[in-house]
């Protein structure tokens, strides 16, 4: 079978183990999954009510997502022409990569960031230029230096996944001023709602100044709609028009559109989730400080532990055998912030596990 040669260097995305797989493998009764940064409190009751009243499943969805576009435009204070919707941000990354990249182009990104940027660049045959993080944060200075006449696309995950760190406002502005107008800069703000720091950049107003800027946000994280798949991008109308050519005609379902509208109508749910998440993060900070485990302060609903390779494998395996699913990376372990009860239970278990890795 003849397929693109670059596919031989890639593997399909491998999600973490399911709860059923872990139960069966280790003969456990209870499993807690803290690996995918889902909202442990689910979604707004408004969403469940709205979905239950949907009776148009036999009809194709509105490809233009008109009602959702109006709701998000009002929520953000932007023109509807600046919006594109996708089946989660994974699809939007694919749309952008397909529209912008080619074998003659290169794309710049951090070396420790969301894996799908690199994945889709390689599929399109583009050169990938990865810049190591600087103390867990995007090194925008080095990223700017990596841009040349063949650079078409720059990815900035802010806050960054998997480290939870963020690029500050002034740093981002300095970077945008350096980037040529013909290079698209995508700022992935999947965890935007969880941010509490004061110098985090508000990017939506920047779109009027930087026409080469695109901002991505999602309903998968704080809004608790990961299972229904709905995300969006905000950019200049001219760019959105081009991306819409690549977007599949009915890429977001009626249920997803309905759910997202209902989620926006309950800001109190988001506010409550963010307050709890912030408080729970402090518990993790205090615990890991006591245990002398290095971590990155987080502006997300997860925390990233900096560990040696043997410690990563040992902690991951011990937690897995006890029924706790976390996510391991080459340089550490990422733990989603769970419910208050889950966090208390996990910290007790970690107190037993940590001596085994030190």
């Amino acid at each position: 079978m003849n397929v693109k040669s670059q596919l031989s260097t890639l593997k399909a995305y491998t999600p973490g183990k399911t709860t059923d797989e872990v139960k069966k493998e280790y003969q456990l009764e209870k499993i807690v999954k803290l690996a995918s940064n889902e909202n442990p409190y689910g979604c707004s009751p408004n969403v469940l009510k709205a979905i239950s009243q949907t009776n148009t499943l036999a009809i194709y969805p509105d490809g233009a997502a008109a009602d959702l576009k109006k709701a998000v435009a009002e929520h953000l204070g932007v023109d509807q022409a600046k919006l594109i919707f996708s089946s989660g941000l994974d699809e939007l990354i694919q749309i952008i990569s397909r529209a912008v990249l080619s074998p003659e182009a290169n794309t710049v990104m951090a070396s420790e960031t969301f894996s799908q940027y690199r994945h889709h660049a390689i599929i399109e045959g583009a050169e990938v230029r990865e810049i190591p993080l600087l103390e867990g944060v995007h090194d925008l200075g080095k990223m700017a230096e990596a841009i040349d006449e063949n650079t078409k696309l720059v990815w900035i995950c802010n806050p960054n996944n998997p480290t939870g760190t963020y690029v500050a406002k002034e740093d981002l502005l300095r970077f945008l001023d350096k980037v040529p107008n013909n290079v698209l800069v995508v700022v992935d703000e999947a965890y935007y709602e969880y941010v509490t720091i004061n110098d985090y950049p508000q990017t939506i107003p920047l779109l009027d100044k930087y026409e080469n800027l695109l901002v991505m946000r999602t309903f998968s994280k704080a809004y608790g709609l990961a299972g229904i798949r709905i995300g969006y991008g905000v950019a200049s109308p001219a760019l959105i028009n081009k991306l819409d050519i690549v977007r599949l005609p009915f890429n977001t379902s009626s249920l997803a559109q309905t759910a997202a509208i209902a989620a926006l109508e309950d800001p109190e749910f988001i506010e409550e989730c963010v307050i709890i998440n912030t408080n729970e993060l402090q518990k993790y900070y205090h615990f890991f400080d006591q245990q002398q485990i290095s971590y990155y302060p987080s502006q997300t609903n997860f925390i990233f532990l900096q560990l040696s390779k043997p410690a990563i494998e040992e902690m991951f395996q011990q937690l897995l055998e006890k029924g706790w699913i976390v996510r391991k990376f080459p340089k550490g372990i990422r733990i989603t912030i769970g419910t208050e009860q889950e966090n208390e239970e996990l910290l007790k278990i970690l107190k037993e596990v940590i001596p085994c890795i030190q």
Side-chain angles (χ1 to χ4, degrees):
M1 183 67 67
N2 293 319
V3 298
K4 290 181 176 180
S5 60
Q6 55 265 36
L7 297 188
S8 63
T9 67
L10 297 172
K11 293 182 180 180
Y13 177 78
T14 305
K17 291 192 177 215
T18 66
T19 54
D20 287 340
E21 286 174 335
V22 176
K23 271 186 181 180
K24 184 177 180 180
E25 185 174 352
Y26 297 104
Q27 299 180 337
L28 297 167
E29 294 294 325
K30 177 185 175 183
I31 303 294
V32 181
K33 183 186 175 190
L34 298 178
S36 301
N37 308 335
E38 297 137 333
N39 187 336
Y41 300 100
C43 62
S44 164
N46 287 14
V47 172
L48 302 178
K49 181 178 179 182
I51 289 177
S52 69
Q53 295 173 347
T54 301
N55 58 1
T56 58
L57 299 185
I59 301 172
Y60 283 107
D62 174 14
D67 291 341
L68 177 57
K69 189 172 289 184
K70 180 181 177 182
V72 172
E74 291 177 355
H75 175 70
L76 299 178
V78 301
D79 190 286
Q80 294 184 37
K82 292 184 174 182
L83 295 170
I84 184 171
F85 293 89
S86 56
S87 177
L89 290 187
D90 296 289
E91 189 200 22
L92 186 52
I93 293 167
Q94 182 185 52
I95 290 171
I96 294 167
S97 300
R98 187 176 184 189
V100 175
L101 297 177
S102 65
E104 298 78 25
N106 70 65
T107 176
V108 177
M109 64 191 71
S111 61
E112 297 134 321
T113 191
F114 190 48
S115 62
Q116 292 301 292
Y117 311 149
R118 181 180 187 276
H119 186 86
H120 287 288
I122 291 175
I123 290 175
E124 299 304 326
E127 177 193 352
V128 178
R129 297 184 174 181
E130 296 177 290
I131 309 302
L133 297 176
L134 183 62
E135 297 181 359
V137 181
H138 283 65
D139 188 343
L140 295 185
K142 294 292 185 183
M143 290 176 70
E145 292 175 6
I147 296 172
D148 64 17
E149 66 276 6
N150 294 319
T151 304
K152 302 297 182 185
L153 178 59
V154 176
W155 295 97
I156 300 175
C157 191
N158 199 32
N160 186 45
N161 179 11
T163 58
T165 55
Y166 75 101
V167 169
K169 176 182 177 180
E170 293 304 318
D171 294 330
L172 179 63
L173 291 176
R174 279 194 294 270
F175 177 77
L176 290 173
D177 287 336
K178 294 178 183 177
V179 177
N181 293 334
N182 64 332
V183 175
L184 177 61
V185 178
V186 178
V187 180
D188 183 345
E189 298 182 343
Y191 299 91
Y192 172 82
E193 288 77 15
Y194 284 111
V195 174
T196 58
I197 204 79
N198 290 330
D199 62 343
Y200 181 82
Q202 295 302 318
T203 49
I204 300 301
L206 299 179
L207 293 169
D208 292 331
K209 180 178 180 181
Y210 303 99
E211 291 193 355
N212 60 331
L213 175 64
L214 185 149
V215 179
M216 301 198 307
R217 292 186 184 171
T218 185
F219 287 91
S220 293
K221 303 305 179 183
Y223 287 99
L225 303 183
I228 211 162
R229 313 308 297 130
I230 187 81
Y232 62 93
V234 196
S236 70
L239 177 57
I240 295 298
N241 283 338
K242 296 299 183 183
L243 296 179
D244 263 329
I245 296 172
V246 180
R247 180 182 61 82
L248 294 176
F250 304 108
N251 66 322
T252 61
S253 70
S254 299
L255 284 178
Q257 293 176 31
T258 297
I261 293 170
L264 286 175
E265 293 171 350
D266 190 3
E268 291 80 12
F269 173 79
I270 299 297
E271 292 170 7
E272 184 177 353
C273 289
V274 172
I275 289 172
I276 297 173
N277 180 76
T278 303
N279 292 337
E280 293 302 298
L281 265 172
Q282 293 299 323
K283 295 178 183 178
Y284 277 94
Y285 295 162
H286 179 68
F287 174 81
F288 289 124
D289 285 341
Q290 286 185 323
Q291 299 295 320
Q292 298 183 319
I293 296 292
S294 296
Y295 62 87
Y296 291 120
S298 176
Q299 289 298 314
T300 64
N301 67 333
F302 60 82
I303 186 168
F304 187 87
L305 310 181
Q306 298 172 266
L307 303 169
S308 66
K309 189 171 182 59
I312 292 168
E313 297 298 332
E314 185 67 25
M315 178 181 284
F316 177 82
Q317 190 60 34
Q318 285 206 33
L319 289 178
L320 194 63
E321 292 176 6
K322 295 176 187 295
W324 294 80
I325 307 174
V326 296
R327 189 79 170 183
K328 63 178 178 178
F329 291 84
K331 295 185 178 181
I333 281 181
R334 190 188 67 194
I335 302 174
T336 303
I337 307 304
T339 63
E340 295 174 73
Q341 181 178 345
E342 288 170 344
N343 297 329
E344 288 178 10
E345 291 179 15
L346 179 56
L347 291 177
K348 289 180 182 178
I349 293 172
L350 283 169
K351 198 167 185 178
E352 301 172 2
V353 171
I354 286 174
C356 300
I357 67 170
Q358 292 177 321

